Amino acid sequence: MARIKIALPEQFIFQTSMEVRIGDINYGGHMANDAILRLAHEVRLRWLKSMGYSELDVEGVGIIMADAAVMYRAEAFHGDQLVFNLGTADHNKYGLDIVYQATDGNNGKEVARLKTGIVFFDYQTRQVAAMPAAFAARLHQ
């Protein structure tokens, strides 16, 4: 079976850290496979907020997730501090990929890589929208 491969961006543009919570743990005693997507969602919100945006308002339009991929690299446990680095890739007229790398804050070991495909979306008309030029310009600063 072919494995998903997620390339890291040339540079990361945002970093934040989060603690693995008890609700993130599964019956195996480590972080559940779905928990990493919830944590990535929080990372994305923090990144947007750091630029004065929200998922519903990026220069007047919102965003919507079109796809997601995850590479699990190591276990994480309750109380672990995960450091998330965020970068972008594959910019196009209507969206981009957001790439996340989660590492263990204690030893630097890579825990996971994620990619979420983001499309700009006009929630009023329920239609895909073009990436706002002002947002695109901020990504290339």
Side-chain angles (χ1 to χ4, degrees):
M1 177 167 102
R3 297 283 176 220
I4 293 172
K5 295 193 184 337
I6 300 170
L8 295 176
E10 289 183 20
Q11 75 177 67
F12 291 108
I13 58 174
F14 181 76
Q15 183 180 80
T16 191
S17 62
M18 280 183 275
E19 186 173 317
V20 177
R21 305 154 305 188
I22 193 63
D24 299 326
I25 303 301
N26 67 13
Y27 58 85
H30 54 223
M31 185 171 59
N33 62 352
D34 61 325
I36 196 72
L37 279 172
R38 285 191 307 275
L39 294 174
H41 187 190
E42 177 68 26
V43 173
R44 186 172 58 250
L45 289 174
R46 290 180 185 186
W47 170 59
L48 290 169
K49 186 175 180 181
S50 76
M51 295 190 298
Y53 299 133
S54 73
E55 289 188 317
L56 295 175
D57 185 10
V58 177
E59 302 291 341
V61 295
I63 62 170
I64 194 166
M65 189 173 1
D67 58 42
V70 181
M71 291 173 50
Y72 302 99
R73 311 288 281 179
E75 293 177 294
F77 302 95
H78 177 251
D80 285 353
Q81 276 294 325
L82 297 181
V83 176
F84 284 86
N85 288 300
L86 178 150
T88 63
D90 296 330
H91 302 185
N92 64 65
K93 181 177 179 179
Y94 298 105
L96 66 147
D97 286 343
I98 300 176
V99 180
Y100 316 77
Q101 182 184 43
T103 57
D104 184 312
N106 292 320
N107 60 26
K109 187 173 188 176
E110 187 176 42
V111 172
R113 287 185 194 184
L114 301 91
K115 177 204 78 83
T116 56
I118 301 299
V119 175
F120 289 88
F121 192 75
D122 184 329
Y123 280 92
Q124 296 291 322
T125 65
R126 312 306 286 185
Q127 298 287 322
V128 171
M131 180 187 303
F135 177 79
R138 290 183 78 177
L139 293 179
H140 296 23
Q141 290 180 347

